[in-house]
Amino acid sequence: MSNEIVVGISGASGVQYGVRLLEVLRNRAETHLIISENAKLILKIETEYELEDVLRLASHVHAPDDLTAVIASGSYQFDAAVIAPCSMKTLGSIANGISSTLITRIGDICLKEGRKLILVPRETPLSLVHMENMVKIKRAGAIVMPACPSFYSKPKTTSDIIDIIVGRILDLLGMENDLSGRWNP
């Protein structure tokens, strides 16, 4: 496998995005999963997934509070990180340089090392604080990709909508995919 991707699943609604990303990356990249304690609760509330099944999708699993994990060092060479979904707490912490969890530490590493960082917030409506943090993190080098699906591919199921977002994440990672239709009027 040529790509090594860190996948963070934080405690926002939409854990399905992170799970589906892991499913798609399973045979395409080496993955490091960090799932926050709140995300584990959301997983139970919003989905039929069992935590153990989600953990098995990743090449490596790291505890959300393990700041001694190998990936917690800027010297560890991973290619990119995706936080999907990304809670506003996580986004705000990364935007303001607060590395109190492994997920926020990964965000900090990506920004300081110039690595690709894709944040997928799933919040609406947005407050001025949310938007200011998004601008701040964009200026610092991250990609902010709100979970706002397109509808020109005429999705029929929730899974289709999730694939639209995951397909866009893969596009940003430079990975070919056909998860959803492309614009072609």
Side-chain angles (χ1 to χ4, degrees):
M1 288 183 245
S2 59
N3 292 319
E4 196 163 344
I5 311 293
V6 176
V7 177
I9 301 177
S10 72
S13 180
V15 295
Q16 298 89 331
Y17 296 116
V19 174
R20 179 66 175 139
L21 180 62
L22 286 168
E23 288 173 346
V24 173
L25 291 176
R26 184 142 193 212
N27 296 315
R28 300 181 70 179
E30 186 172 348
T31 55
H32 293 265
L33 172 62
I34 311 158
I35 182 167
S36 74
E37 295 304 320
N38 283 334
K40 292 174 187 175
L41 294 173
I42 300 296
L43 189 74
K44 283 184 179 181
I45 294 168
E46 290 188 350
T47 77
E48 301 299 319
Y49 293 112
E50 294 294 331
L51 177 60
E52 296 74 28
D53 296 330
V54 173
L55 299 179
R56 278 194 287 275
L57 294 171
S59 309
H60 311 277
V61 178
H62 304 278
D65 61 348
D66 185 4
L67 295 175
T68 65
V70 65
I71 59 173
S73 172
S75 66
Y76 187 81
Q77 297 294 301
F78 59 86
D79 297 295
V82 180
I83 303 173
C86 183
S87 69
M88 287 301 157
K89 177 183 176 183
T90 299
L91 190 146
S93 293
I94 297 168
N96 290 284
I98 301 168
S99 298
S100 58
T101 69
L102 187 54
I103 292 175
T104 56
R105 173 65 183 154
I106 291 301
D108 188 43
I109 288 169
C110 288
L111 295 179
K112 77 183 188 71
E113 301 286 335
R115 297 184 199 159
K116 188 167 280 189
L117 173 62
I118 301 168
L119 305 176
V120 185
R122 215 269 352 115
E123 183 72 50
T124 192
L126 298 171
S127 74
L128 181 58
V129 172
H130 297 151
M131 291 186 283
E132 287 174 343
N133 281 334
M134 287 181 189
V135 168
K136 192 179 221 182
I137 204 155
K138 177 65 179 170
R139 285 186 177 144
I143 297 169
V144 179
M145 194 197 106
C148 298
S150 61
F151 289 91
Y152 48 77
S153 62
K154 299 181 180 158
K156 295 184 181 20
T157 66
T158 303
S159 294
D160 292 343
I161 292 170
I162 291 167
D163 277 354
I164 291 167
I165 299 302
V166 172
R168 290 293 292 135
I169 293 168
L170 294 173
D171 288 346
L172 292 170
L173 290 171
M175 298 176 134
E176 291 294 322
N177 74 89
D178 60 357
L179 290 181
S180 69
R182 302 258 180 215
W183 176 253
N184 189 8

